[in-house]
Amino acid sequence: MPLGALRPSPLVEQATVRLREQITGGEWAVGTKLPGETALAKSLGVGRSTVREALRALAGAGLVQARQGSGVFVIATRPEEDWSTRLRQAAITDVYEVRMLVEVEAAQLAARRRTDDDVTALHEALARRREAAHAGNAEFVEADIALHQAIVAAAHNPVLTGLFTEFVPVLQQRLLDLVELLNLRSDDPNHGDEGHTELVDAVVRGDAETAGRALRDELEQTLSLLHSL
């Protein structure tokens, strides 16, 4: 199957897509050595630098591997899924177990490291969560997660913050599904306020042990609900 020259536009992206199609479509099987950069550039109608960047993208996706002195070889016919994709496809119970490990430690660190600005942010986030109790489920879940983000931010660890940020889209949708499926707010629109108040108070006064326990208790309750479905 001829590759065909590409149209002007983001050429690296086009080249990457075209080469990926060759691999995933079975034109180049695992173990196949790809044509050289010059040959690929001529087939695609682009420069060698464009081909080089496209090959790097394919290597990053786990499809090809450059072997010094030998060339570039196909090592897989399906791209590796990135972290965000894996999270979206993961069971929510698995996500929650990891969330518990991350957030409990974050809460304890927050109790030790919180600043005056963090204290203000936590009080504001708790107030917004209470205000959202008068709103719909989507607004309430969003405010709930924002409070947890404020706890993680108070830990002042950029890796923890980045990791939790990756969880947010999955958590927001799955928590909304849980709230609506079990109608958790029917009797108490501000579901979980007592536990969140205890958590914030513990972080503010620097009580790491209580902060970690309060958060663990909350997440374990939610995990139990998830296991019951």
Side-chain angles (χ1 to χ4, degrees):
M1 182 174 71
L3 290 173
L6 300 176
R7 300 181 305 277
S9 148
L11 293 180
V12 172
E13 289 84 350
Q14 286 192 63
T16 303
V17 169
R18 192 68 59 82
L19 294 173
R20 183 188 293 117
E21 288 173 348
Q22 293 288 110
I23 295 170
T24 59
E27 296 296 323
W28 292 327
V30 172
T32 300
K33 178 181 177 181
L34 269 58
E37 287 182 3
T38 301
L40 289 174
K42 182 176 180 180
S43 297
L44 295 169
V46 297
R48 290 180 59 186
S49 61
T50 298
V51 169
R52 194 173 300 120
E53 289 300 317
L55 291 175
R56 285 176 182 166
L58 294 176
L63 292 173
V64 302
Q65 181 182 67
R67 298 173 185 169
Q68 190 171 7
S70 300
V72 178
F73 293 80
V74 176
I75 59 173
T77 55
R78 294 182 60 185
E80 294 180 353
E81 295 174 341
D82 59 26
W83 175 238
S84 296
T85 300
R86 291 183 183 182
L87 274 179
R88 288 195 301 271
Q89 295 176 347
I92 187 59
T93 50
D94 292 338
V95 172
Y96 247 82
E97 287 175 355
V98 177
R99 181 190 179 188
M100 192 180 302
L101 295 172
V102 170
E103 278 200 72
V104 169
E105 179 64 24
Q108 293 173 337
L109 288 175
R112 300 185 185 103
R113 299 175 177 177
R114 79 279 181 271
T115 64
D116 290 343
D117 287 342
D118 293 325
V119 169
T120 299
L122 288 170
H123 283 147
E124 290 177 349
L126 183 60
R128 284 194 296 270
R129 189 181 188 278
R130 289 170 175 166
E131 292 171 2
H134 304 291
N137 288 335
E139 291 83 354
F140 182 74
V141 168
E142 183 177 354
D144 177 85
I145 291 178
L147 173 56
H148 285 269
Q149 286 181 292
I151 294 288
V152 174
H156 294 282
N157 183 312
V159 177
L160 278 175
T161 300
L163 185 57
F164 187 75
T165 299
E166 291 283 347
F167 280 87
V168 168
V170 175
L171 291 175
Q172 194 155 323
Q173 184 57 55
R174 302 293 182 85
L175 282 176
L176 180 58
D177 292 342
L178 182 66
V179 168
E180 295 183 341
L181 180 63
L182 298 182
N183 205 16
L184 293 179
R185 301 177 64 218
S186 58
D187 296 327
D188 180 10
N190 195 12
H191 179 77
D193 180 65
E194 183 178 349
H196 285 82
T197 300
E198 181 183 9
L199 170 61
V200 170
D201 287 347
V203 171
V204 169
R205 68 174 182 269
D207 187 344
E209 182 179 350
T210 300
R213 185 180 66 249
L215 187 50
R216 180 179 294 279
D217 288 347
E218 180 212 338
L219 296 180
E220 283 183 342
Q221 288 175 12
T222 305
L223 190 57
S224 295
L225 288 173
L226 291 168
H227 280 304
S228 71
L229 296 179

